[in-house]
Amino acid sequence: MRIASVRAVPVSFRVPEGKNVTLGIGRAVKRDSVLVRVETDEGIVGWGEAHHGRCPGAVAKLIDTTLSELVLGMDALDVVGVWQKVYRMQLASHGMGAAAALALSGLDIALWDIRGKAMNAPIHRLLGGAPKKIKAYAGGISLGWQDPAALAEEAQSYVAQGYRALKLRVGDTPRRDIARVEAVRAAVGDEIDILVDGNTGCSLDDVRRVMPAYEAAKVGWFEEPFPPHDYRSYQDAAKLGTVPLAAGENHYTRFEFTRLIADGAVSFAQPDLSKAGGITECHRIAVLASAWKMSVNPHTSATGINMVATLHLMCAVDNPGYFEGDVAHHNPFRDEVCGLPYQLAPDGTVTCREGPGLGIEVDEAFLAAHPLIEGPCYV
C-alpha cells in the first residue's frame, strides 16, 4: 500500500466577542489548525493534525510541497520509515525547525490512522495498549486572567461537570496570580487538584514571589514559567520551592526532551502530538520519560483529531498522567470536526475510542466552511 496523496487543510474560526480568554500569550481572537489528509493507492484515507505554529498557511504550504514530495510513493504502513526519511531530509540536515516538526506531526498521525484502518484495529491496540481510565483536568483556552471571583465561579462549574483537576493561567503579576489561585482554592476546596500555567511569561523573580503562596495552596505543578530554550532558568526555579515544574508543549522530538528530562528540573513531561513529532515520536518520548519515573501529560491542540490521538497514546503507555480536557466555551474544532472526541466520566476520567485507526469520521463539509483566516490568533 503506497502513499498516493498528501494534502494540508488549514482551518480557522473567529472567537465570538465575549468568549475571548486572556492569558500569558495574549487575548484569543481566533483559532487555527492545519489538518493533514493522506490517501493511499488502495483508497484508505487517514487524518492528522499539525499545530498551526501561529502561521497555519506556512505550515500547510510546507506539507503540500516539501513533505508531500518526500513521501509520495512510500509504503503507507511503514510509519517509522516515513518519519525517519522526513527527519533525515528536512529536520536533521537543516536544523530542527519548528515548522517541519509540526508538519511531520500531522503526517505521522494520519499514517497511524491509515495503519489502524488497514488492520481493522484502534491505534492503542497497535501500540500494545488497551482502553483504561485516564485522569483529566479542565484546560484548553479557559480559566484565564479575570477577576478572582469570576474565575472561582468558572472553576466551580468545571468541578460540577466532574473534573477533579483544573489548570489556571498565571504569568500576569505575582500579586494578581496569587489572588486568583487563592480564590479558586477557597472555592473548590482541598480535594480538587489545582495546576497553573505560566505560558512562558514569568521571570525568576516572579517564581520566587509566587512560590510560597502556591505551596500553601497545594498547587500540583507550575507549567512553562519560561520559554522552552531557557534551561538555566528552569534549573534555578526548581530550587525556589517544592511545587514541581512541568514543560514540553513547545519542545520538539525526543532529542529536545532528552535534555529537558536529563536536566532534572522538570517533573512532568508534556509533549503535544501535533508538535513534537506525532504518535511515533511521542510514544518514544513517553518511554524516555518512563525510564526517569516521570508521567507523560500531553498538551492537547485545537481539534478533536489531536485529542483522540492523544488518548490512544495515553492508553498505550505505562506512565499516563493527566489528559488535558478542553473546556473552552466556544470551540467548534473540538465539537464538530469529528464529533465529540471524548466523554468525561463521573469520576473525572476519560478513555480512548475502539474503532479502527483513530476511530473517527472527519466532517469535510465543516472544514470547507472554515477556511484559513490570515492574521494572528492572539493579540
Side-chain angles (χ1 to χ4, degrees), residues 107-131:
L107 172 65
D108 181 83
I109 294 170
L111 290 176
W112 274 100
D113 191 26
I114 287 171
R115 197 165 190 263
K117 289 173 178 176
M119 298 182 180
N120 196 33
I123 291 170
H124 64 269
R125 295 287 186 185
L126 299 180
L127 291 170

PDB file of all heavy atoms in Angstrom, residues 107-131:
ATOM      1  N   LEU A 107       1.395  14.605   9.598  1.00  0.00           N
ATOM      2  CA  LEU A 107       1.559  13.489   8.660  1.00  0.00           C
ATOM      3  C   LEU A 107       1.613  12.162   9.404  1.00  0.00           C
ATOM      4  O   LEU A 107       0.966  11.173   9.010  1.00  0.00           O
ATOM      5  CB  LEU A 107       2.838  13.698   7.848  1.00  0.00           C
ATOM      6  CG  LEU A 107       3.285  12.534   6.956  1.00  0.00           C
ATOM      7  CD1 LEU A 107       2.271  12.273   5.852  1.00  0.00           C
ATOM      8  CD2 LEU A 107       4.675  12.822   6.366  1.00  0.00           C
ATOM      9  N   ASP A 108       2.354  12.114  10.489  1.00  0.00           N
ATOM     10  CA  ASP A 108       2.525  10.875  11.244  1.00  0.00           C
ATOM     11  C   ASP A 108       1.194  10.387  11.821  1.00  0.00           C
ATOM     12  O   ASP A 108       0.876   9.195  11.755  1.00  0.00           O
ATOM     13  CB  ASP A 108       3.540  11.098  12.356  1.00  0.00           C
ATOM     14  CG  ASP A 108       3.793   9.847  13.166  1.00  0.00           C
ATOM     15  OD1 ASP A 108       4.617   9.022  12.724  1.00  0.00           O
ATOM     16  OD2 ASP A 108       3.161   9.668  14.229  1.00  0.00           O
ATOM     17  N   ILE A 109       0.408  11.288  12.394  1.00  0.00           N
ATOM     18  CA  ILE A 109      -0.893  10.895  12.952  1.00  0.00           C
ATOM     19  C   ILE A 109      -1.782  10.318  11.857  1.00  0.00           C
ATOM     20  O   ILE A 109      -2.466   9.304  12.052  1.00  0.00           O
ATOM     21  CB  ILE A 109      -1.562  12.096  13.644  1.00  0.00           C
ATOM     22  CG1 ILE A 109      -0.752  12.533  14.870  1.00  0.00           C
ATOM     23  CG2 ILE A 109      -2.997  11.749  14.065  1.00  0.00           C
ATOM     24  CD1 ILE A 109      -1.203  13.856  15.475  1.00  0.00           C
ATOM     25  N   ALA A 110      -1.770  10.947  10.679  1.00  0.00           N
ATOM     26  CA  ALA A 110      -2.587  10.448   9.568  1.00  0.00           C
ATOM     27  C   ALA A 110      -2.156   9.048   9.147  1.00  0.00           C
ATOM     28  O   ALA A 110      -2.998   8.198   8.820  1.00  0.00           O
ATOM     29  CB  ALA A 110      -2.497  11.415   8.384  1.00  0.00           C
ATOM     30  N   LEU A 111      -0.865   8.777   9.145  1.00  0.00           N
ATOM     31  CA  LEU A 111      -0.384   7.455   8.760  1.00  0.00           C
ATOM     32  C   LEU A 111      -0.764   6.397   9.799  1.00  0.00           C
ATOM     33  O   LEU A 111      -1.059   5.246   9.445  1.00  0.00           O
ATOM     34  CB  LEU A 111       1.129   7.479   8.557  1.00  0.00           C
ATOM     35  CG  LEU A 111       1.606   8.257   7.319  1.00  0.00           C
ATOM     36  CD1 LEU A 111       3.131   8.302   7.278  1.00  0.00           C
ATOM     37  CD2 LEU A 111       1.052   7.651   6.030  1.00  0.00           C
ATOM     38  N   TRP A 112      -0.786   6.752  11.067  1.00  0.00           N
ATOM     39  CA  TRP A 112      -1.257   5.810  12.085  1.00  0.00           C
ATOM     40  C   TRP A 112      -2.751   5.535  11.910  1.00  0.00           C
ATOM     41  O   TRP A 112      -3.215   4.396  12.128  1.00  0.00           O
ATOM     42  CB  TRP A 112      -0.963   6.335  13.485  1.00  0.00           C
ATOM     43  CG  TRP A 112       0.415   5.986  13.956  1.00  0.00           C
ATOM     44  CD1 TRP A 112       1.515   6.782  13.967  1.00  0.00           C
ATOM     45  CD2 TRP A 112       0.836   4.713  14.460  1.00  0.00           C
ATOM     46  NE1 TRP A 112       2.601   6.101  14.452  1.00  0.00           N
ATOM     47  CE2 TRP A 112       2.216   4.821  14.760  1.00  0.00           C
ATOM     48  CE3 TRP A 112       0.196   3.501  14.686  1.00  0.00           C
ATOM     49  CZ2 TRP A 112       2.949   3.762  15.285  1.00  0.00           C
ATOM     50  CZ3 TRP A 112       0.927   2.437  15.208  1.00  0.00           C
ATOM     51  CH2 TRP A 112       2.282   2.571  15.500  1.00  0.00           C
ATOM     52  N   ASP A 113      -3.513   6.562  11.523  1.00  0.00           N
ATOM     53  CA  ASP A 113      -4.938   6.361  11.244  1.00  0.00           C
ATOM     54  C   ASP A 113      -5.112   5.358  10.107  1.00  0.00           C
ATOM     55  O   ASP A 113      -5.937   4.426  10.180  1.00  0.00           O
ATOM     56  CB  ASP A 113      -5.574   7.703  10.889  1.00  0.00           C
ATOM     57  CG  ASP A 113      -7.101   7.656  10.837  1.00  0.00           C
ATOM     58  OD1 ASP A 113      -7.719   6.797  11.516  1.00  0.00           O
ATOM     59  OD2 ASP A 113      -7.686   8.496  10.127  1.00  0.00           O
ATOM     60  N   ILE A 114      -4.312   5.508   9.040  1.00  0.00           N
ATOM     61  CA  ILE A 114      -4.344   4.566   7.911  1.00  0.00           C
ATOM     62  C   ILE A 114      -3.948   3.168   8.366  1.00  0.00           C
ATOM     63  O   ILE A 114      -4.597   2.170   8.020  1.00  0.00           O
ATOM     64  CB  ILE A 114      -3.408   5.057   6.792  1.00  0.00           C
ATOM     65  CG1 ILE A 114      -4.018   6.266   6.087  1.00  0.00           C
ATOM     66  CG2 ILE A 114      -3.120   3.935   5.780  1.00  0.00           C
ATOM     67  CD1 ILE A 114      -3.085   6.957   5.114  1.00  0.00           C
ATOM     68  N   ARG A 115      -2.904   3.078   9.150  1.00  0.00           N
ATOM     69  CA  ARG A 115      -2.426   1.767   9.611  1.00  0.00           C
ATOM     70  C   ARG A 115      -3.518   1.033  10.394  1.00  0.00           C
ATOM     71  O   ARG A 115      -3.738  -0.171  10.205  1.00  0.00           O
ATOM     72  CB  ARG A 115      -1.175   1.964  10.477  1.00  0.00           C
ATOM     73  CG  ARG A 115      -0.336   0.736  10.689  1.00  0.00           C
ATOM     74  CD  ARG A 115       1.037   1.141  11.236  1.00  0.00           C
ATOM     75  NE  ARG A 115       1.953  -0.003  11.217  1.00  0.00           N
ATOM     76  CZ  ARG A 115       2.193  -0.780  12.268  1.00  0.00           C
ATOM     77  NH1 ARG A 115       1.576  -0.536  13.414  1.00  0.00           N
ATOM     78  NH2 ARG A 115       3.034  -1.791  12.188  1.00  0.00           N
ATOM     79  N   GLY A 116      -4.204   1.767  11.272  1.00  0.00           N
ATOM     80  CA  GLY A 116      -5.268   1.153  12.041  1.00  0.00           C
ATOM     81  C   GLY A 116      -6.436   0.709  11.179  1.00  0.00           C
ATOM     82  O   GLY A 116      -7.003  -0.379  11.370  1.00  0.00           O
ATOM     83  N   LYS A 117      -6.777   1.531  10.191  1.00  0.00           N
ATOM     84  CA  LYS A 117      -7.877   1.173   9.299  1.00  0.00           C
ATOM     85  C   LYS A 117      -7.507  -0.039   8.447  1.00  0.00           C
ATOM     86  O   LYS A 117      -8.331  -0.922   8.213  1.00  0.00           O
ATOM     87  CB  LYS A 117      -8.236   2.369   8.415  1.00  0.00           C
ATOM     88  CG  LYS A 117      -8.920   3.509   9.176  1.00  0.00           C
ATOM     89  CD  LYS A 117      -9.102   4.743   8.300  1.00  0.00           C
ATOM     90  CE  LYS A 117      -9.822   5.857   9.060  1.00  0.00           C
ATOM     91  NZ  LYS A 117      -9.919   7.099   8.250  1.00  0.00           N
ATOM     92  N   ALA A 118      -6.270  -0.100   7.976  1.00  0.00           N
ATOM     93  CA  ALA A 118      -5.838  -1.221   7.157  1.00  0.00           C
ATOM     94  C   ALA A 118      -5.844  -2.520   7.943  1.00  0.00           C
ATOM     95  O   ALA A 118      -6.094  -3.599   7.386  1.00  0.00           O
ATOM     96  CB  ALA A 118      -4.445  -0.951   6.593  1.00  0.00           C
ATOM     97  N   MET A 119      -5.580  -2.439   9.230  1.00  0.00           N
ATOM     98  CA  MET A 119      -5.501  -3.637  10.074  1.00  0.00           C
ATOM     99  C   MET A 119      -6.756  -3.845  10.912  1.00  0.00           C
ATOM    100  O   MET A 119      -6.802  -4.761  11.740  1.00  0.00           O
ATOM    101  CB  MET A 119      -4.263  -3.543  10.967  1.00  0.00           C
ATOM    102  CG  MET A 119      -2.972  -3.482  10.177  1.00  0.00           C
ATOM    103  SD  MET A 119      -1.506  -3.424  11.230  1.00  0.00           S
ATOM    104  CE  MET A 119      -0.209  -3.369   9.987  1.00  0.00           C
ATOM    105  N   ASN A 120      -7.752  -2.951  10.713  1.00  0.00           N
ATOM    106  CA  ASN A 120      -9.028  -3.032  11.430  1.00  0.00           C
ATOM    107  C   ASN A 120      -8.816  -3.081  12.941  1.00  0.00           C
ATOM    108  O   ASN A 120      -9.418  -3.899  13.651  1.00  0.00           O
ATOM    109  CB  ASN A 120      -9.841  -4.248  10.976  1.00  0.00           C
ATOM    110  CG  ASN A 120     -11.305  -4.157  11.406  1.00  0.00           C
ATOM    111  OD1 ASN A 120     -11.870  -3.064  11.471  1.00  0.00           O
ATOM    112  ND2 ASN A 120     -11.919  -5.293  11.701  1.00  0.00           N
ATOM    113  N   ALA A 121      -7.962  -2.189  13.424  1.00  0.00           N
ATOM    114  CA  ALA A 121      -7.657  -2.144  14.852  1.00  0.00           C
ATOM    115  C   ALA A 121      -7.453  -0.692  15.284  1.00  0.00           C
ATOM    116  O   ALA A 121      -6.929   0.120  14.516  1.00  0.00           O
ATOM    117  CB  ALA A 121      -6.399  -2.951  15.158  1.00  0.00           C
ATOM    118  N   PRO A 122      -7.853  -0.347  16.504  1.00  0.00           N
ATOM    119  CA  PRO A 122      -7.583   1.006  17.008  1.00  0.00           C
ATOM    120  C   PRO A 122      -6.101   1.202  17.272  1.00  0.00           C
ATOM    121  O   PRO A 122      -5.367   0.235  17.538  1.00  0.00           O
ATOM    122  CB  PRO A 122      -8.396   1.071  18.310  1.00  0.00           C
ATOM    123  CG  PRO A 122      -8.554  -0.347  18.731  1.00  0.00           C
ATOM    124  CD  PRO A 122      -8.593  -1.162  17.477  1.00  0.00           C
ATOM    125  N   ILE A 123      -5.668   2.438  17.221  1.00  0.00           N
ATOM    126  CA  ILE A 123      -4.243   2.740  17.353  1.00  0.00           C
ATOM    127  C   ILE A 123      -3.682   2.249  18.681  1.00  0.00           C
ATOM    128  O   ILE A 123      -2.569   1.710  18.736  1.00  0.00           O
ATOM    129  CB  ILE A 123      -4.006   4.249  17.160  1.00  0.00           C
ATOM    130  CG1 ILE A 123      -4.259   4.640  15.697  1.00  0.00           C
ATOM    131  CG2 ILE A 123      -2.591   4.640  17.581  1.00  0.00           C
ATOM    132  CD1 ILE A 123      -4.286   6.129  15.437  1.00  0.00           C
ATOM    133  N   HIS A 124      -4.430   2.399  19.762  1.00  0.00           N
ATOM    134  CA  HIS A 124      -3.878   1.981  21.054  1.00  0.00           C
ATOM    135  C   HIS A 124      -3.599   0.481  21.081  1.00  0.00           C
ATOM    136  O   HIS A 124      -2.661   0.030  21.740  1.00  0.00           O
ATOM    137  CB  HIS A 124      -4.805   2.388  22.204  1.00  0.00           C
ATOM    138  CG  HIS A 124      -6.148   1.745  22.190  1.00  0.00           C
ATOM    139  ND1 HIS A 124      -7.225   2.322  21.551  1.00  0.00           N
ATOM    140  CD2 HIS A 124      -6.597   0.584  22.725  1.00  0.00           C
ATOM    141  CE1 HIS A 124      -8.284   1.530  21.707  1.00  0.00           C
ATOM    142  NE2 HIS A 124      -7.927   0.473  22.410  1.00  0.00           N
ATOM    143  N   ARG A 125      -4.385  -0.317  20.355  1.00  0.00           N
ATOM    144  CA  ARG A 125      -4.121  -1.758  20.288  1.00  0.00           C
ATOM    145  C   ARG A 125      -2.842  -2.038  19.497  1.00  0.00           C
ATOM    146  O   ARG A 125      -2.052  -2.914  19.855  1.00  0.00           O
ATOM    147  CB  ARG A 125      -5.302  -2.475  19.643  1.00  0.00           C
ATOM    148  CG  ARG A 125      -6.591  -2.416  20.432  1.00  0.00           C
ATOM    149  CD  ARG A 125      -6.548  -3.302  21.655  1.00  0.00           C
ATOM    150  NE  ARG A 125      -7.839  -3.341  22.332  1.00  0.00           N
ATOM    151  CZ  ARG A 125      -8.057  -3.961  23.491  1.00  0.00           C
ATOM    152  NH1 ARG A 125      -7.079  -4.587  24.104  1.00  0.00           N
ATOM    153  NH2 ARG A 125      -9.260  -3.945  24.043  1.00  0.00           N
ATOM    154  N   LEU A 126      -2.629  -1.289  18.401  1.00  0.00           N
ATOM    155  CA  LEU A 126      -1.415  -1.470  17.614  1.00  0.00           C
ATOM    156  C   LEU A 126      -0.165  -1.115  18.422  1.00  0.00           C
ATOM    157  O   LEU A 126       0.916  -1.659  18.183  1.00  0.00           O
ATOM    158  CB  LEU A 126      -1.468  -0.622  16.347  1.00  0.00           C
ATOM    159  CG  LEU A 126      -2.612  -0.926  15.361  1.00  0.00           C
ATOM    160  CD1 LEU A 126      -2.522   0.000  14.159  1.00  0.00           C
ATOM    161  CD2 LEU A 126      -2.589  -2.382  14.919  1.00  0.00           C
ATOM    162  N   LEU A 127      -0.318  -0.199  19.365  1.00  0.00           N
ATOM    163  CA  LEU A 127       0.800   0.213  20.211  1.00  0.00           C
ATOM    164  C   LEU A 127       0.975  -0.695  21.426  1.00  0.00           C
ATOM    165  O   LEU A 127       1.877  -0.476  22.240  1.00  0.00           O
ATOM    166  CB  LEU A 127       0.599   1.658  20.678  1.00  0.00           C
ATOM    167  CG  LEU A 127       0.701   2.745  19.597  1.00  0.00           C
ATOM    168  CD1 LEU A 127       0.248   4.084  20.158  1.00  0.00           C
ATOM    169  CD2 LEU A 127       2.121   2.846  19.066  1.00  0.00           C
ATOM    170  N   GLY A 128       0.103  -1.703  21.569  1.00  0.00           N
ATOM    171  CA  GLY A 128       0.229  -2.635  22.685  1.00  0.00           C
ATOM    172  C   GLY A 128      -0.593  -2.274  23.896  1.00  0.00           C
ATOM    173  O   GLY A 128      -0.386  -2.847  24.981  1.00  0.00           O
ATOM    174  N   GLY A 129      -1.553  -1.350  23.738  1.00  0.00           N
ATOM    175  CA  GLY A 129      -2.337  -0.906  24.868  1.00  0.00           C
ATOM    176  C   GLY A 129      -3.751  -1.422  24.874  1.00  0.00           C
ATOM    177  O   GLY A 129      -4.131  -2.300  24.091  1.00  0.00           O
ATOM    178  N   ALA A 130      -4.560  -0.859  25.772  1.00  0.00           N
ATOM    179  CA  ALA A 130      -5.968  -1.222  25.926  1.00  0.00           C
ATOM    180  C   ALA A 130      -6.689  -0.044  26.560  1.00  0.00           C
ATOM    181  O   ALA A 130      -6.066   0.803  27.217  1.00  0.00           O
ATOM    182  CB  ALA A 130      -6.116  -2.461  26.811  1.00  0.00           C
ATOM    183  N   PRO A 131      -8.007   0.058  26.363  1.00  0.00           N
ATOM    184  CA  PRO A 131      -8.733   1.168  26.993  1.00  0.00           C
ATOM    185  C   PRO A 131      -8.568   1.150  28.513  1.00  0.00           C
ATOM    186  O   PRO A 131      -8.625   0.087  29.139  1.00  0.00           O
ATOM    187  CB  PRO A 131     -10.191   0.892  26.592  1.00  0.00           C
ATOM    188  CG  PRO A 131     -10.100   0.065  25.375  1.00  0.00           C
ATOM    189  CD  PRO A 131      -8.886  -0.797  25.554  1.00  0.00           C
TER     190      PRO A 131
END
